[in-house]
Amino acid sequence: MGSCTAYHIAKHGKSVLLLEQFDFLHRRGSSHGESRTIRVTYPEDYYTRMMKEAYKLWEEAETEAGYMVYHRTGYLDFGPPDNQSLLSVISSLKKEGIAHQILSHKEVTLRFPTFRLPKDSLTVYTAEGGILRASKAVAMFQALAAKHGAVLRDRAKVLRVSPHWRLPGGADGILVATSRGSALGKACILAAGAWTPQIVRDISGMELPIKALHTSIAYWAVNKKMNPDALSPARGFPCFSSYGEPFIYGTPSIEYPGLIKVGAHFGVLCDPNKRSVSPDMETLKGHVSPWLASYFEGSVDWEAPNMAEGCMYSMTPDEDFILDHVQDQLAIGKSKILVAAGFSGHGFKMGPLVGRIMADLALTGSSQGVPLEMFSIERFSKDAQGNHKL
Ligand SMILES: Cc1cc2nc3c(=O)[nH]c(=O)nc-3n(C[C@H](O)[C@H](O)[C@H](O)COP(=O)(O)OP(=O)(O)OC[C@H]3O[C@@H](n4cnc5c(N)ncnc54)[C@H](O)[C@@H]3O)c2cc1C
């Protein structure tokens, strides 16, 4: 999110400094690895609408970079016929006029013969979906930001953000002290993933309700008796989401031949500074293995993943993002410290749009027409009875 934001600010011709505590493209946060899924299918129509815009921005960045990070595979969403989220996905697609097909069990079996979906499954196919090459995409935005004049510094941990410093000329500025020196600027955008609450707490005393959850990226082998390409996009195999408990998502064999990526939208509480980067085999075997045994009966080796590593979610209570200003104790009106965090396991696909929104907020004070009420910090505040709204 930080790299996308730096790109959009630099593209406006403004000076911007992108800071990273570890090496660029490290594997200790949320955005590393071979892939993240991209889809328009969301139960909330505001995300479906935002995805229309995000797709354009992915394409624009790819064109500028001269290489691709999006691989279209098509997307299959399925689940019990009365699953409320899945019914809302279909209603969002209709409302936003996005082409989709509701497939019968027979049609699913004909088109995707390796899937063993329950007979009464509700299944919707959208052509506009697939994977984003995750680390490659982050590197692309860093390269584009640098091309437009951004200054990039890694191994520079932000230690303190202090508002109300005087800029040359007398205006109010923000001092950012890092392990490699300090910088003074007109605005500061915090996109520190699961580390964001710590930084915000230090600035304002405010507790952002973002939980760091340890989760895993896992690849499973296509069974040897199958053609290793059987679950590849070349054979029409799509990315997918299975609605229910747990929510399962997956990608075809695209990153590694003969392996598919399948994971559970689930994680265990962790401390971002102390967590191990090893995968959580207990969750994978407890949640994903039984699902694979049933939904890919005989075609995928479900007992244990062939390859896996840890990753981290930064989860809000409602799984909506936080895109807002941080109120510091002395600020009158909107502060120039902003936060983009709490992407709750589904934010990667929105990266370029989040970057554009944050750049617009910092440079103009407006999100240029993108509604942001559902992403406000205010939604976590207490109601008249003193209860937290969420
Ligand atoms: C297993 C897994 C699967 C996912 N699948 C999908 C998917 O299919 N589709 C999708 O859209 N999304 C998906 N997501 C979610 C998506 O990857 C995240 O929402 C997104 O990557 C969050 O990016 P971020 O920039 O907020 O966090 P990060 O990538 O963690 O970036 C925050 C950065 O801030 C740096 N930082 C922190 N503190 C400091 C400091 N004090 N000083 C300097 N730097 C600091 C960190 O080192 C880090 O590099 C998935 C996430 C996981 C873990």
Side-chain angles (χ1 to χ4, degrees):
M1 299 302 174
S3 304
C4 290
T5 303
Y7 162 64
H8 280 284
I9 294 177
K11 220 174 152 183
H12 275 91
K14 302 289 179 189
S15 42
V16 57
L17 171 64
L18 176 68
L19 295 168
E20 165 56 51
Q21 63 179 340
F22 304 132
D23 289 295
F24 284 131
L25 306 181
H26 67 88
R27 308 182 80 84
R28 293 156 73 177
S30 304
S31 304
H32 58 283
E34 305 306 315
S35 70
R36 292 291 182 278
T37 55
I38 178 167
R39 58 189 155 88
V40 281
T41 47
Y42 263 99
E44 301 84 3
D45 35 349
Y46 48 90
Y47 283 126
T48 302
R49 251 189 318 278
M50 286 168 78
M51 278 312 300
K52 288 185 185 171
E53 203 55 32
Y55 265 108
K56 286 187 211 151
L57 295 172
W58 280 109
E59 199 179 326
E60 250 176 63
E62 285 183 325
T63 305
E64 195 180 345
Y67 52 84
M68 286 165 70
V69 295
Y70 170 41
H71 190 129
R72 196 174 191 245
T73 64
Y75 209 98
L76 206 64
D77 291 271
F78 51 83
D82 57 351
N83 183 288
Q84 213 40 59
S85 297
L86 189 53
L87 291 168
S88 300
V89 164
I90 295 166
S91 128
S92 298
L93 291 171
K94 284 185 183 152
K95 215 159 155 184
E96 293 305 316
I98 292 173
H100 61 281
Q101 294 164 278
I102 308 287
L103 302 181
S104 67
H105 185 260
K106 197 171 161 197
E107 286 167 322
V108 174
T109 313
L110 279 172
R111 278 177 74 172
F112 314 109
T114 37
F115 263 135
R116 297 277 177 275
L117 304 193
K119 278 224 159 62
D120 66 345
S121 290
L122 174 60
T123 307
V124 54
Y125 178 81
T126 37
E128 201 53 90
I131 67 155
L132 296 160
R133 309 271 182 190
S135 291
K136 184 181 175 189
V138 177
M140 173 180 81
F141 280 109
Q142 291 170 355
L144 290 176
K147 183 185 127 189
H148 286 283
V151 176
L152 278 61
R153 291 283 180 273
D154 62 358
R155 305 192 77 82
K157 181 174 178 164
V158 172
L159 303 172
R160 213 172 46 254
V161 178
S162 315
H164 314 297
W165 282 72
R166 186 149 300 179
L167 290 171
D172 222 13
I174 295 158
L175 183 80
V176 177
T178 83
S179 52
R180 287 181 64 183
S182 298
L184 198 53
K186 288 185 184 161
C188 171
I189 299 164
L190 303 168
W195 288 268
T196 310
Q198 286 170 218
I199 307 178
V200 170
R201 191 181 306 128
D202 289 347
I203 299 170
S204 67
M206 181 192 289
E207 277 306 323
L208 287 184
I210 295 177
K211 283 186 186 152
L213 300 183
H214 182 74
T215 180
S216 310
I217 299 170
Y219 291 88
W220 309 75
V222 174
N223 191 277
K224 284 196 178 58
K225 73 173 194 287
M226 309 276 296
N227 180 325
D229 272 351
L231 301 181
S232 72
R235 298 284 185 99
F237 201 77
C239 289
F240 60 86
S241 293
S242 168
Y243 286 71
E245 274 306 320
F247 181 95
I248 299 279
Y249 61 88
T251 69
S253 321
I254 182 168
E255 298 131 64
Y256 302 105
L259 301 183
I260 60 167
K261 186 173 95 171
V262 183
H265 183 57
F266 182 87
V268 287
L269 268 182
C270 68
D271 175 342
N273 293 316
K274 294 187 188 145
R275 68 183 260 274
S276 139
V277 292
S278 311
D280 173 4
M281 294 305 283
E282 205 180 310
T283 300
L284 289 171
K285 288 188 178 176
H287 291 265
V288 184
S289 289
W291 185 90
L292 282 168
S294 142
Y295 282 72
F296 281 99
E297 192 196 339
S299 53
V300 171
D301 296 343
W302 54 266
E303 290 87 350
N306 180 288
M307 210 164 84
E309 77 171 305
C311 193
M312 198 164 38
Y313 278 173
S314 45
M315 216 67 167
T316 63
D318 55 3
E319 302 194 11
D320 276 336
F321 311 154
I322 298 177
L323 309 176
D324 205 348
H325 298 261
V326 177
Q327 207 58 45
D328 73 71
Q329 276 112 346
L330 296 176
I332 301 159
K334 283 181 179 173
S335 90
K336 279 286 200 173
I337 303 177
L338 296 121
V339 63
F343 292 99
S344 303
H346 65 102
F348 198 92
K349 62 182 86 57
M350 307 263 182
L353 180 60
V354 168
R356 194 188 75 191
I357 291 170
M358 298 318 289
D360 286 339
L361 285 179
L363 299 176
T364 69
S366 143
S367 61
Q368 309 297 339
V370 182
L372 296 184
E373 308 82 62
M374 51 288 196
F375 307 130
S376 73
I377 295 176
E378 208 272 324
R379 74 188 197 269
F380 304 117
S381 61
K382 292 177 181 173
D383 64 18
Q385 282 73 46
N387 302 315
H388 280 283
K389 286 184 188 164
L390 279 171

